[in-house]
Amino acid sequence: MDIKIHVEEADGQFNTIEAPTDMGLSLMEILKASEYPVAATCGGMALCASCHVEILDNTYDEEANDAEMDMLDTLPVVSDSSRLACQMPLTDDMDGIRVRLMAEASME
Amino acid sequence: MIHTDLCIIGAGPVGLFAVFEAGLLKMRCHVMDVLPQIGGQLSEIYPKKPIYDIPGYPVVLAQELVDNLAKQIEPFNPSFTLGERVEKIERQEDESFILETNEGTQCHAKAVVIAGGLGCFEPRKPALDRLESFEGKGVDYMVRNPEKYINRKVVIAGGGDSALDWTIYLAEHVEELTLVHRGSSFRGAPDSAEKVLKLAEEGKLKLMLNSQVSELKGEQLLNECTITNKAGETETVSTDFFIPLFGLSPKLGPIANWNLNLDKNAIEVNVEDYSTNVPGVYAIGDINQYPGKLKLILSGFHEAALMAQSAYRVVSGGKKASLKYTTVNGIQTF
Ligand SMILES: Cc1cc2nc3c(=O)[nH]c(=O)nc-3n(C[C@H](O)[C@H](O)[C@H](O)COP(=O)(O)OP(=O)(O)OC[C@H]3O[C@@H](n4cnc5c(N)ncnc54)[C@H](O)[C@@H]3O)c2cc1C
Ligand code: FES
């Protein structure tokens, strides 16, 4: 099925992107494909944190894996809802999820 | 001032291999990198990962490849300026260049090779008011000279390996040490985490978990940090130094100001020789862009070989390099 992902824009408004859940994509990959400025330097290996996002609703409760927690632990600015988008495979449960790209993600 | 034939910006795999290709044509090289060690992304991001697509190596660890590249260029005696960022490139009247780093080191070169990869690796900074105004006045992002902290008061922030390693080292040398970590436990090397906990038990450092530095105070120099825990309680710690150790991330940095044609943070090049729009300046490896570009180490190596043939003409005043196989001549040094 296709799910909807709401991405916060600079002005606080949300833009909705649609994403398939049967192609094995991660949230990072769909953000990149939708031309959000996610550098994803390490190609999705939880090594660079350049895909750092905040999940803005508390319905998503998949636990972060060890590699992801290790990386998040090294960042200067994180919140309890910080995640690495490359470590989040798209699933049907994520339909309607709201995310914010963190500064670390952008390609300045 | 350093004098050389080629000044190579970036000591990643591609910059290192460029020294080899230039060396075969008897061009001397000076290599500059903002990181204190060579190796670029391989040493900084993924030193322990295996790489499978280097010809002749079914598998090689990233750091091992860097060590081998360093060995391969030894016969050509390149010189290095590490830990300094190249800020400026100025073209001289005689078409040579003077490069200058943030620390004022100057290098005079007949040609310039930018092998800057993803750009400069810069420290990740916490979002704190006045942080930048205290840089060099109490705020350091790297421990370059540990002696500076002897018998002083230091606050370290971070939970990764470098925060743990420096905490363990400095605990024995400073007057007072505080380690502030946002999480409730350390996920870095278990051995280091254990050592830090033991040092805290012995009273050699103050460990503040579930906490973050929230404010920096001082007139000219830093003299206090306010630390806030998850419950919102604050504590003020008197300190001479605040060292946030949150790792490094790449930023294009000064390359953007060098009048080069850029396309999405990469330098446009002519694929015949990887020259840029500025004569005498080449760009190879991840930093360049052309139709069909692949950001692979292998591609950067190929680009280095073609660059060297063309740079030879610039360095030797118009002579064409003749291709000689190393199998025929071996490695001829200077
Ligand atoms: C996790 C990961 C896995 C990878 N796996 C592979 C793989 O298996 N195979 C493969 O071929 N490729 C792989 N890559 C890609 C490969 O790492 C890059 O293609 C390669 O590092 C590019 O080398 P480089 O020398 O061009 O740049 P870099 O390695 O980025 O080095 C550039 C250097 O330039 C320095 N620099 C930049 N600007 C300045 C300045 N102004 N002053 C001073 N210094 C400066 C930087 O500090 C840096 O050290 C991988 C990348 C990542 C992140
Ligand atoms: S893409 Fe590097 S950590 Fe996600």
Side-chain angles (χ1 to χ4, degrees):
Chain A
M1 94 176 213
D2 275 6
I3 56 167
K4 288 194 167 60
I5 298 167
H6 309 294
V7 187
E8 191 181 58
E9 303 291 320
D11 59 4
Q13 301 284 314
F14 284 83
N15 179 35
T16 301
I17 53 181
E18 291 201 4
T21 54
D22 56 359
M23 286 174 63
L25 297 178
S26 68
L27 177 61
M28 175 276 275
E29 285 161 329
I30 200 73
L31 288 170
K32 242 178 114 82
S34 311
E35 309 222 325
Y36 280 97
V38 179
T41 313
C42 75
M45 287 188 285
L47 285 174
C48 70
S50 66
C51 64
H52 182 191
V53 295
E54 243 185 320
I55 307 300
L56 298 173
D57 41 16
N58 48 19
T59 49
Y60 184 77
D61 55 8
E62 280 298 315
E63 295 252 321
N65 61 39
D66 277 357
E68 180 178 358
M69 294 286 270
D70 286 352
M71 189 68 228
L72 287 171
D73 248 0
T74 65
L75 300 184
V77 183
V78 278
S79 73
D80 289 341
S81 52
S82 282
R83 296 295 305 255
L84 297 178
C86 70
Q87 302 301 303
M88 295 174 61
L90 296 178
T91 58
D92 294 345
D93 300 346
M94 284 161 76
D95 195 18
I97 198 166
R98 298 187 317 146
V99 302
R100 171 186 294 155
L101 300 190
M102 297 299 283
E104 184 75 30
S106 77
M107 294 188 289
E108 288 161 56
Chain B
M1 170 128 46
I2 299 151
H3 291 275
T4 187
D5 291 327
L6 293 188
C7 184
I8 300 174
I9 302 168
V14 177
L16 295 177
F17 191 65
V19 174
F20 182 79
E21 287 295 329
L24 290 179
L25 298 173
K26 298 238 184 318
M27 290 184 282
R28 289 193 180 276
C29 295
H30 183 76
V31 186
M32 296 176 134
D33 203 300
V34 64
L35 293 176
Q37 81 276 337
I38 62 165
Q41 291 171 53
L42 281 67
S43 302
E44 191 51 47
I45 305 184
Y46 60 105
K48 294 190 185 128
K49 273 189 63 62
I51 303 176
Y52 300 98
D53 53 354
I54 303 296
Y57 282 104
V59 58
V60 58
L61 296 185
Q63 188 56 48
E64 211 180 319
L65 179 62
V66 170
D67 294 345
N68 283 340
L69 284 164
K71 199 154 181 218
Q72 190 172 16
I73 61 177
E74 249 171 37
F76 299 116
N77 279 318
S79 48
F80 290 89
T81 299
L82 296 177
E84 298 183 27
R85 184 176 59 229
V86 180
E87 293 288 343
K88 274 197 287 187
I89 305 184
E90 266 170 19
R91 195 146 186 252
Q92 308 299 297
E93 268 181 21
D94 66 354
E95 303 193 338
S96 64
F97 298 88
I98 292 182
L99 293 88
E100 192 174 321
T101 71
N102 59 327
E103 306 267 329
T105 305
Q106 290 189 321
C107 176
H108 176 255
K110 291 181 190 154
V112 174
V113 181
I114 305 173
L118 301 166
C120 290
F121 281 90
E122 306 255 333
R124 293 198 180 97
K125 299 181 182 180
L128 282 173
D129 285 345
R130 299 186 65 197
L131 181 77
E132 298 194 345
S133 67
F134 284 123
E135 285 173 5
K137 297 175 188 155
V139 169
D140 290 338
Y141 302 107
M142 257 181 227
V143 180
R144 283 224 183 112
N145 170 15
E147 280 166 20
K148 177 171 160 183
Y149 310 107
I150 293 177
N151 298 331
R152 309 295 297 274
K153 294 179 189 161
V154 177
V155 173
I156 294 182
D161 287 328
S162 93
L164 294 178
D165 292 347
W166 283 117
T167 297
I168 294 165
Y169 180 82
L170 291 178
E172 304 293 343
H173 299 91
V174 300
E175 184 194 324
E176 217 174 280
L177 182 64
T178 308
L179 174 63
V180 185
H181 174 44
R182 191 179 37 80
S184 55
S185 61
F186 293 103
R187 312 178 53 85
D191 183 45
S192 314
E194 247 172 59
K195 278 194 193 137
V196 165
L197 295 176
K198 189 153 174 280
L199 286 165
E201 267 168 32
E202 290 167 358
K204 293 201 172 129
L205 66 95
K206 183 169 175 175
L207 188 55
M208 301 182 75
L209 296 174
N210 291 313
S211 303
Q212 297 191 54
V213 171
S214 52
E215 204 181 343
L216 303 176
K217 291 184 194 154
E219 292 290 324
Q220 290 293 315
L221 298 177
L222 177 73
N223 60 25
E224 270 179 7
C225 283
T226 304
I227 296 162
T228 306
N229 69 14
K230 279 205 175 136
E233 296 152 348
T234 61
E235 186 173 327
T236 300
V237 179
S238 129
T239 193
D240 302 305
F241 293 100
F242 170 47
I243 316 179
L245 295 172
F246 296 115
L248 305 172
S249 73
K251 300 254 150 48
L252 187 60
I255 293 173
N257 311 323
W258 294 342
N259 294 327
L260 298 162
N261 289 344
L262 295 182
D263 173 21
K264 290 199 192 117
N265 285 343
I267 302 172
E268 286 179 356
V269 287
N270 175 350
V271 289
E272 264 180 41
D273 58 358
Y274 302 96
S275 55
T276 67
N277 59 307
V278 178
V281 177
Y282 297 83
I284 56 176
D286 278 12
I287 193 75
N288 75 14
Q289 179 60 36
Y290 52 85
K293 167 77 185 181
L294 284 180
K295 288 193 181 184
L296 287 177
I297 298 166
L298 172 78
S299 321
F301 287 171
H302 158 82
E303 293 162 17
L306 287 190
M307 171 282 296
Q309 298 289 319
S310 172
Y312 179 78
R313 241 171 281 170
V314 174
V315 167
S316 65
K319 274 197 230 153
K320 195 167 177 295
S322 62
L323 178 69
K324 297 190 186 93
Y325 294 119
T326 54
T327 39
V328 179
N329 290 335
I331 307 284
Q332 310 272 313
T333 56
F334 297 110

